[in-house]
Amino acid sequence: MSAIFPTYNRFDVHVKHAEGTTIVDQDGKKYLDFISGIGVCNLGHRHPAVKEAIEKQLEEVWHVSNLFHLTIQEEVAMQLVDHCDGDAVFFCNSGAEANEAALKLARKYTQKTKVITFQQSFHGRTFATMAATGQKKIHSDFGPLLQEFKYLPYNDCASLEKEMDENVAAIMVEIIQGEGGVIPINPEFISRIAELCQKYNALLIIDEVQTGMGRTGKPFAYQHFGISPDIITVAKGLGSGLPVGAMIGKNILKEAFGAGVHGTTFGGNPIGLSAAKATLSIVFQEQFLEEVTDKGDYLKLKLTTSLEKNEIINSIRGKGLMVGIDCKSEVTEILKLLRERGLLALNAGPNVIRLLPPLTVTKAEIDLAVDLINDVIKEYSHVTTL
């Protein structure tokens, strides 16, 4: 009998070892990992540069608290602000904490309380970030939520224009809705969001927890669209598996987050930031990002070519190495069959297969993954039509 709360429906895979794009279970079976810890291990498992940085930091200091100056905090903060529109960083431990900080900052700075988010969004599981999430299943059975969140249809300019007014403190949005089904934002929609935020003196918060750190071929996914957010939140791929998150904001917001306003015991921990520093030094390289774009295009092309005639496929969508295969039926059994064949993939809602391979994945590994997906979906389609 397990002593762990059953908050996850776990796969029947007992992990013993992981390296690069490979996970090995306790029986010695190898799996090609196209989950990456849900978009966390962007450099693959146990990347040698990250491992070396962590080991070096372990010999220096583990934790002293944020009452002290830590050079590595300044170094990682500069890596982040040098590659985005932000000017100041608040370090924390997770995406939910980064989003929580963003919501607190938006309310405090604007002195307004209304926040617009979108249906099928996902921003975390704290009370504030759960309230920001536009999914009823996330809200269920927790009683009254934090008030004044409005959930609008994603990619719907008319609904946004109707709801927007001077009472809005912020709009929080994902450039690609990950948990909501790997749904990319329309260029005209994100442009209109930015325009309306400026018109009504609201803050634009971009949740880059899953799309940031090179996942879409840019340091941050919003950079595909020529906009300038006020707040950016990141986590997942920032620490290559160590728990670290960050909220990045513009200079105008610094005074609203002065001493004693917000805090965290473990945020900015030097061990986590040593992993982040090594990670960012690789994923923010121009050549590395170009390769992510090339491999992402290659993955989508291979999937489209292999699956376009299969009648259970609705569409293939995404950007960079964040790809969703939208199916006409639930994908639970397909994912199980893929695991049996040695490929780890994830769902995004009931009908979407979500692929989040390490950004270091090779084209040969993409070929192998696509062949397995094609074979399994063909077999599944044949069985379900009998």
Side-chain angles (χ1 to χ4, degrees):
M1 181 178 177
S2 176
I4 299 172
F5 269 108
T7 51
Y8 287 87
N9 290 317
R10 300 177 190 269
F11 303 145
D12 189 21
V13 178
H14 295 255
V15 177
K16 182 178 182 181
H17 177 82
E19 186 168 3
T21 55
T22 303
I23 285 177
V24 183
D25 70 15
Q26 62 184 10
D27 298 319
K29 181 177 178 178
K30 293 182 178 180
Y31 300 84
L32 179 58
D33 183 10
F34 267 49
I35 298 176
S36 303
I38 315 182
V40 167
C41 301
N42 282 8
L43 294 178
H45 297 280
R46 298 173 58 242
H47 190 281
V50 179
K51 182 174 180 286
E52 181 182 356
I54 295 167
E55 289 173 343
K56 181 181 177 182
Q57 187 62 52
L58 285 169
E59 295 298 325
E60 296 177 1
V61 59
W62 296 9
H63 177 83
V64 292
S65 92
N66 287 307
L67 297 174
F68 296 85
H69 292 282
L70 287 165
T71 300
I72 196 167
Q73 290 187 351
E74 294 290 348
E75 291 172 342
V76 178
M78 286 304 300
Q79 284 178 300
L80 290 168
V81 301
D82 282 349
H83 290 87
C84 72
D85 288 67
D87 302 294
V89 178
F90 172 81
F91 287 114
C92 52
N93 306 285
S94 68
E97 287 187 31
N99 285 335
E100 184 90 16
L103 292 166
K104 286 181 69 174
L105 177 55
R107 282 189 166 191
K108 190 170 189 300
Y109 176 79
T110 65
Q111 291 297 293
K112 298 185 284 187
T113 56
K114 182 178 175 182
V115 176
I116 291 174
T117 64
F118 298 94
Q119 293 168 10
Q120 297 309 305
S121 61
F122 183 82
H123 299 293
R125 293 181 183 272
T126 65
F127 258 91
T129 58
M130 178 173 66
T133 294
Q135 298 189 50
K136 289 184 178 179
K137 68 179 183 180
I138 302 297
H139 305 161
S140 181
D141 297 327
F142 289 106
L145 300 178
L146 188 65
Q147 296 301 297
E148 295 208 62
F149 285 90
K150 298 289 184 180
Y151 315 118
L152 302 183
Y154 193 63
N155 284 328
D156 187 333
C157 289
S159 295
L160 178 63
E161 290 165 357
K162 183 177 179 180
E163 185 66 39
M164 197 70 184
D165 58 31
E166 295 285 355
N167 297 315
V168 174
I171 298 177
M172 176 179 270
V173 64
E174 299 158 279
I175 296 300
I176 302 174
Q177 289 190 327
E179 301 295 327
V182 192
I183 304 172
I185 205 161
N186 290 338
E188 60 271 18
F189 186 59
I190 188 59
S191 294
R192 191 64 180 134
I193 288 174
E195 292 167 359
L196 290 170
C197 282
Q198 288 192 337
K199 179 179 179 180
Y200 290 101
N201 295 312
L203 298 183
L204 173 53
I205 304 170
I206 304 292
D207 180 340
E208 293 264 12
V209 171
Q210 193 164 150
T211 55
M213 306 302 102
R215 175 58 56 181
T216 68
K218 297 278 189 183
F220 301 88
Y222 80 84
Q223 292 168 332
H224 293 282
F225 300 98
I227 61 166
S228 182
D230 299 292
I231 299 174
I232 306 156
T233 58
V234 295
K236 287 190 181 292
L238 178 56
S240 289
L242 269 71
V244 56
M247 179 195 69
I248 310 164
K250 289 185 173 176
N251 255 330
I252 57 170
L253 304 174
K254 286 180 77 171
E255 288 188 9
F257 246 33
V261 169
H262 192 55
T264 167
T265 296
F266 294 107
N269 175 275
I271 306 299
L273 290 190
S274 68
K277 181 181 177 181
T279 300
L280 296 181
S281 68
I282 296 171
V283 299
F284 282 172
Q285 291 179 22
E286 186 175 349
Q287 182 179 349
F288 184 88
L289 293 168
E290 288 173 354
E291 290 172 359
V292 172
T293 299
D294 178 57
K295 289 184 285 192
D297 291 342
Y298 183 78
L299 172 58
K300 288 196 287 284
L301 178 62
K302 290 282 291 186
L303 286 169
T304 301
T305 303
S306 298
L307 300 176
E308 61 183 348
K309 294 182 180 179
N310 193 298
E311 53 189 39
I312 77 160
I313 304 299
N314 285 322
S315 65
I316 296 165
R317 55 182 181 247
K319 200 163 191 66
L321 289 170
M322 182 176 181
V323 177
I325 305 169
D326 187 3
C327 301
K328 294 177 181 176
S329 61
E330 292 192 5
V331 298
T332 302
E333 186 61 26
I334 294 173
L335 293 173
K336 181 181 177 183
L337 291 170
L338 286 173
R339 288 195 298 276
E340 291 174 359
R341 301 288 181 88
L343 177 66
L344 301 176
L346 195 63
N347 69 302
N351 289 17
V352 177
I353 299 169
R354 181 173 21 162
L355 303 178
L356 296 167
L359 306 186
T360 52
V361 69
T362 66
K363 287 186 176 179
E365 289 169 330
I366 290 172
D367 289 341
L368 175 58
V370 173
D371 287 344
L372 288 169
I373 292 167
N374 186 38
D375 290 345
V376 165
I377 288 180
K378 277 184 179 178
E379 291 176 18
Y380 178 81
S381 302
H382 176 70
V383 169
T384 55
T385 55
L386 290 178

